[in-house]
Amino acid sequence: MPYPFADMVLYFFLYSFCGWLMETALCSVRERRFINRGFLNGPLCPIYGCGILLILTFLLPVRDGIPQLTTALPVIFLAGAALASAVEYFTSWAMEKLFHARWWDYSDHRFNVGGRICLSISAAWGALATGFVYLIQPQFERLVGRLYGLYASLPLILAVILLTVFLADTVLSVRIASVLGNKLEQLDRLGDLIREHAGLLDRLNRAEISSPEDIALRLESAYDRYESRRRSRREKRAENSLFFSEDPGVWLSARIHLLKAKKTGLQQIGFLHRRMLKAFPTLRSHPAVKGIENAAAELRELLRKK
């Protein structure tokens, strides 16, 4: 490492905070309202901290070893873009595997790789890396040096405190993201199920189907997709009593009402879940699961109206 452990930790938080400031400013201007950008609840974007630490580790020797700027600048620009893009790609992949959702997507950008990284963002990373290495890092070095001047152990104490808070925030944010992802998947499946019931009720009213057995057969696959085993015993008893009533239309209408009530209940989310949903406006589903974009967009619109 080019610096002591405590210094590297402090640089990680300084650059994570700078990344949060930049992301929050850009997103807030675009949305015309304040958006607390970032996966964590605190004012940090760790992807910036990780990327810049890699850049400092590998590119400070280039800065110090090549005095000619005309040679060093292109090398640092290209290497910084490559290193930071690798971090961004891996982070996107890991979060998608963990939470079954893609938290940012560059699919609408030219020259993208799987929607995880793209040429324009990589070029921006390269420019930031160059600016950080030559302009920002010397200022941060002086800042950390002043901390040592105040008290020799102060940087280490601050590093331990910040790491403790950071780990606690990470655990909380992972929990929030997991719960939010599950809610969005359930809302998406509930929407499909409501549309399935409404379609059958419409066909029943038009005499295209008539018997409860036909309805049960057509709903079987829909309930399998929704994972009907999660339904409570009370719900199942209500379904059975209605299903075997003389009028299948009564059962379908009651079931639609029950599903809509359940959907409304799932749409009631807490402050931290709302913050995360707003922080990632391009949240998309994992390719292996059905899309959650519609559920996320519907929930954002509901929150906006409230």
Side-chain angles (χ1 to χ4, degrees), residues 183-197 226 255 258-264 266:
K183 277 182 175 287
L184 290 175
E185 285 189 32
Q186 290 184 59
L187 285 170
D188 183 74
R189 292 169 183 167
L190 273 172
D192 286 345
L193 208 54
I194 291 170
R195 286 188 289 272
E196 190 80 23
H197 282 74
Y226 179 64
R255 187 59 188 157
L258 184 64
L259 291 171
K260 286 183 176 180
K262 190 168 187 177
K263 184 178 179 181
T264 300
L266 280 173

Side-chain angles (χ1 to χ4, degrees), residues 69-244:
L69 283 178
T70 54
T71 303
L73 286 178
V75 173
I76 289 177
F77 175 87
L78 293 174
L83 286 171
S85 296
V87 172
E88 186 173 29
Y89 188 95
F90 173 77
T91 303
S92 173
W93 174 85
M95 291 179 69
E96 188 173 301
K97 293 298 182 183
L98 284 172
F99 307 117
H100 305 294
R102 182 170 294 181
W103 297 82
W104 62 86
D105 195 334
Y106 300 133
S107 297
D108 57 343
H109 289 59
R110 297 183 63 187
F111 308 112
N112 70 84
V113 180
R116 303 184 193 281
I117 58 175
C118 68
L119 182 60
S120 59
I121 299 298
S122 296
W125 274 115
L128 286 173
T130 305
F132 285 145
V133 167
Y134 281 99
L135 301 176
I136 305 300
Q137 183 57 23
Q139 306 302 320
F140 284 168
E141 288 176 357
R142 283 191 281 271
L143 175 62
V144 173
R146 291 195 185 100
L147 295 178
Y148 280 103
L150 293 174
Y151 180 58
S153 299
L154 183 57
L156 180 59
I157 294 172
L158 288 176
V160 171
I161 293 173
L162 290 171
L163 275 176
T164 302
V165 175
F166 171 73
L167 291 175
D169 194 358
T170 300
V171 171
L172 176 61
S173 298
V174 167
R175 173 62 180 167
I176 291 169
S178 179
V179 171
L180 179 60
N182 289 333
K183 277 182 175 287
L184 290 175
E185 285 189 32
Q186 290 184 59
L187 285 170
D188 183 74
R189 292 169 183 167
L190 273 172
D192 286 345
L193 208 54
I194 291 170
R195 286 188 289 272
E196 190 80 23
H197 282 74
L200 286 172
L201 181 60
D202 181 63
R203 295 186 65 185
L204 180 66
N205 291 334
R206 289 186 283 128
E208 294 182 6
I209 52 176
S210 58
S211 69
E213 290 76 14
D214 289 339
I215 295 173
L217 185 62
R218 294 172 188 275
L219 286 177
E220 184 176 355
S221 61
Y223 274 111
D224 286 341
R225 291 194 300 271
Y226 179 64
E227 299 178 341
S228 59
R229 63 182 179 275
R230 293 183 178 179
R231 289 174 288 162
S232 67
R233 292 181 180 178
R234 181 179 178 182
E235 283 181 307
K236 290 178 180 178
R237 285 198 300 269
E239 290 168 16
N240 291 336
S241 63
L242 287 168
F243 185 79
F244 293 107

Side-chain angles (χ1 to χ4, degrees), residues 15-51:
Y15 284 113
S16 296
F17 177 68
C18 289
W20 177 84
L21 281 178
M22 185 176 66
E23 290 274 349
T24 297
L26 291 173
C27 194
S28 298
V29 169
R30 184 169 59 247
E31 296 291 325
R32 296 183 179 179
R33 57 192 172 90
F34 176 76
I35 300 292
N36 181 7
R37 181 70 166 162
F39 180 77
L40 300 178
N41 296 293
L44 297 172
C45 282
I47 191 171
Y48 284 86
C50 292

Side-chain angles (χ1 to χ4, degrees), residues 183 187 263-270 274 299 302-303 306:
K183 277 182 175 287
L187 285 170
K263 184 178 179 181
T264 300
L266 280 173
Q267 288 175 330
Q268 308 305 311
I269 60 175
R274 294 198 299 270
L299 191 52
L302 183 66
L303 294 174
K306 287 184 177 181

